[in-house]
Amino acid sequence: MSSSVQRKRIRKSPEARRAEIVATAARIALAEGLECVTLRRVAEELAVRPGLISHYFPSAEDLVAEAFSVAALGELDTLLPAERPDGTPAQYLARYFALSSGEAYDDISRLWINARHLSRYRPVLRDVVTRMELASDDRLEELVHDGVARGEFRTDDARSAAIQILVVLDGLGAHANSDRTDRPPAVTRLALSTAERALSLPDGTLDAPGATGSLPLAYSPAEAAEAAVPRLAATTAASASAAEPTEPVAATESTAARTTEA
Amino acid sequence: MSSSVQRKRIRKSPEARRAEIVATAARIALAEGLECVTLRRVAEELAVRPGLISHYFPSAEDLVAEAFSVAALGELDTLLPAERPDGTPAQYLARYFALSSGEAYDDISRLWINARHLSRYRPVLRDVVTRMELASDDRLEELVHDGVARGEFRTDDARSAAIQILVVLDGLGAHANSDRTDRPPAVTRLALSTAERALSLPDGTLDAPGATGSLPLAYSPAEAAEAAVPRLAATTAASASAAEPTEPVAATESTAARTTEA
């Protein structure tokens, strides 16, 4: 960024500013933990006054909950998209498992452990965690229904199958901060074998070569969270209506440059 | 406690004092979380000076790790005892599942979520969490071996069966701070059905009427932790060798009374 651009800051729309705050909070939450999401820290990252952050989020609790919310929604929409035009339900399910065991997913698993722990003390966060758990159940249930309708899966109870799969993924993810090098293959594959059994698929179907078809397998939790910000705003509405109070104070050039690079 | 006893305090042995500190820390950890385990807080509960606690635990990190350690060891020794004279392996396994779904177990599940989250930042605790995970794997594997030897279970890989069961229990326990009222029966039973499948038992065996034989089903995590203190001390040795520095200062009568009642 050239210094002339730096000095001629354009006032952002409230929607854009709020989105920037939430995406920044989600990035901090994924990389360092929800405890690090404070008004001061987000203000530092964006090189603005803390008062600007508290204008949008009078309570830090709400910002923490929304940071988790967009990270979890980004995960859901990327790993289990609601629209699935590029493959079969079985291919999307295979892709879900492929993405649920990589290193990028460890960041998400750590965030879920983090949120589930803090839920014990923070009711706003607990509500969001419960809502995101139900949204995951719903989304995977839809995929299962779709697969049953196309004759790919067979089950009498799509919802139960979906929750069983998610409970096993939670169990595997619970170890994201521990050493997991000694896991037997049957454990590493436990979510897949649970799905294969619950959906009456032959053993080995979901990680067979080519099981994911031509679906893309790259995944960045932070980018997914950023993409989820407007989607969440659309569902919660009215959240970005207040006009920004004053022109944000640009921080020193060096801080601003660091933030831009990050 | 009468006030004459109160005034004539007898100096405790270093072993007894250390055990009292660890049991108190574990009780706080179970009821309120590992973040509440501080030298000051434990000193308050015991009505002694904080300096006495730091004599035994110069680093609060070590006390936090040991609090988790005895709570987890108490859970393991109570739910999956190493000696099983009062029933068959299948009865002890059925009892394990019966105890792993009650309200008392929620305290343990919350503590595991807590410890797994803090492991991200605290290497001493992370080591203990990993050690207790392996100890659980080992103990359940032994039970499975025993059952296979007696012809009750059938599996080619006792360790894999054990870890699969524990991963599912972790997945169910991961929701200990969330609303779980809408779970379908197949989800509530997921750990049992995983065990029945992995051990070639008929469906429904492990929660059939009488499955636990005459084994006792009561369980108090705090009492189990207290009972585990000397067992842990015996395995880590040398931990209680230092003589106590000075006579502990008794707090006010009212504080001491409150602590005694707790």
Side-chain angles (χ1 to χ4, degrees):
Chain A
M1 189 187 277
S2 77
S3 62
S4 63
V5 174
Q6 177 70 30
R7 297 220 169 81
K8 258 196 162 180
R9 279 207 160 208
I10 295 162
R11 181 186 290 232
K12 292 190 169 150
S13 73
E15 291 77 10
R17 178 64 79 184
R18 193 178 190 287
E20 183 184 57
I21 292 169
V22 173
T24 302
R27 207 173 56 234
I28 296 169
L30 280 162
E32 297 166 48
L34 290 163
E35 292 86 345
C36 298
V37 176
T38 60
L39 302 181
R40 179 183 301 268
R41 174 66 195 282
V42 173
E44 274 173 21
E45 289 287 328
L46 290 172
V48 300
R49 290 173 298 102
L52 181 71
I53 312 297
S54 61
H55 170 71
Y56 289 94
F57 291 93
S59 157
E61 292 300 287
D62 293 333
L63 180 55
V64 168
E66 195 151 331
F68 172 73
S69 212
V70 293
L73 185 63
E75 174 208 357
L76 184 60
D77 282 350
T78 308
L79 269 56
L80 281 173
E83 304 292 323
R84 295 177 292 270
D86 300 320
T88 65
Q91 287 171 342
Y92 274 98
L93 185 60
R95 173 177 173 271
Y96 178 51
F97 290 122
L99 291 176
S100 299
S101 59
E103 266 192 41
Y105 193 73
D106 278 352
D107 285 348
I108 281 288
S109 294
R110 286 187 190 105
L111 183 65
W112 272 97
I113 298 170
N114 191 172
R116 285 182 167 137
H117 170 55
L118 292 186
S119 285
R120 179 173 179 170
Y121 313 106
R122 303 192 184 186
V124 180
L125 182 62
R126 181 162 60 236
D127 287 348
V128 171
V129 167
T130 299
R131 210 178 311 144
M132 291 311 306
E133 284 172 348
L134 287 175
S136 306
D137 296 349
D138 291 347
R139 190 67 63 81
L140 186 52
E141 182 186 355
E142 285 163 25
L143 176 65
V144 171
H145 274 306
D146 191 9
V148 170
R150 295 183 189 212
E152 289 189 5
F153 306 150
R154 214 172 63 238
T155 175
D156 293 335
D157 190 340
R159 185 160 195 86
S160 170
I163 303 180
Q164 287 178 57
I165 294 165
L166 290 167
V167 163
V168 173
L169 283 172
D170 284 338
L172 293 165
H175 301 243
N177 293 318
S178 327
D179 182 15
R180 289 158 293 169
T181 41
D182 274 348
R183 277 187 174 165
V187 173
T188 314
R189 256 198 118 259
L190 190 56
L192 291 99
S193 59
T194 301
E196 287 162 355
R197 199 182 54 259
L199 305 176
S200 308
L201 293 168
D203 288 353
T205 306
L206 290 169
D207 55 358
T212 57
S214 57
L215 296 172
L217 291 175
Y219 169 52
S220 155
E223 285 169 23
E226 188 161 356
V229 174
R231 290 201 295 276
L232 186 73
T235 62
T236 54
S239 54
S241 56
E244 197 159 300
T246 55
E247 182 67 18
V249 179
T252 62
E253 295 270 324
S254 66
T255 313
R258 183 177 55 72
T259 309
T260 308
E261 278 160 24
Chain B
M1 188 186 280
S2 77
S3 62
S4 63
V5 175
Q6 176 71 30
R7 296 218 171 83
K8 259 199 164 178
R9 278 207 162 207
I10 295 161
R11 181 185 289 229
K12 292 192 169 147
S13 73
E15 291 77 10
R17 178 63 80 184
R18 194 179 190 285
E20 183 184 58
I21 292 170
V22 173
T24 303
R27 206 173 56 234
I28 296 169
L30 280 161
E32 297 166 47
L34 290 163
E35 292 86 345
C36 298
V37 176
T38 61
L39 301 182
R40 178 183 300 266
R41 175 66 196 282
V42 173
E44 275 174 19
E45 290 286 328
L46 290 172
V48 300
R49 290 173 299 102
L52 180 72
I53 313 297
S54 60
H55 170 72
Y56 290 94
F57 291 93
S59 157
E61 292 301 287
D62 293 333
L63 180 55
V64 167
E66 195 151 331
F68 172 74
S69 213
V70 293
L73 185 63
E75 175 208 354
L76 184 60
D77 282 351
T78 308
L79 269 55
L80 282 172
E83 304 292 324
R84 295 176 291 271
D86 301 320
T88 65
Q91 286 170 343
Y92 274 97
L93 186 60
R95 174 176 171 272
Y96 179 51
F97 290 122
L99 292 176
S100 299
S101 59
E103 265 191 41
Y105 193 74
D106 278 352
D107 285 348
I108 281 288
S109 295
R110 285 187 190 106
L111 182 65
W112 273 97
I113 298 171
N114 190 172
R116 285 182 166 136
H117 170 56
L118 292 185
S119 284
R120 179 173 179 171
Y121 313 106
R122 302 191 183 186
V124 180
L125 181 61
R126 182 163 58 234
D127 287 349
V128 171
V129 168
T130 299
R131 209 178 313 143
M132 291 311 307
E133 284 172 349
L134 287 174
S136 306
D137 296 348
D138 291 348
R139 189 68 62 81
L140 186 52
E141 182 187 356
E142 285 163 26
L143 176 65
V144 171
H145 275 305
D146 191 8
V148 169
R150 296 184 189 210
E152 290 189 3
F153 306 150
R154 214 171 64 239
T155 175
D156 293 336
D157 190 339
R159 186 161 194 85
S160 171
I163 303 180
Q164 288 178 57
I165 293 165
L166 290 167
V167 163
V168 173
L169 283 172
D170 284 338
L172 292 166
H175 300 243
N177 294 318
S178 328
D179 182 15
R180 289 159 293 168
T181 42
D182 274 347
R183 277 187 174 165
V187 173
T188 313
R189 256 200 118 259
L190 190 56
L192 291 100
S193 60
T194 300
E196 287 163 355
R197 198 182 53 259
L199 304 176
S200 308
L201 293 168
D203 288 353
T205 307
L206 291 169
D207 54 359
T212 57
S214 58
L215 296 173
L217 291 175
Y219 168 52
S220 154
E223 284 169 24
E226 189 160 355
V229 174
R231 291 201 296 276
L232 186 73
T235 62
T236 55
S239 54
S241 55
E244 196 159 300
T246 56
E247 183 66 20
V249 178
T252 62
E253 298 267 327
S254 65
T255 312
R258 182 177 55 73
T259 307
T260 307
E261 280 160 24

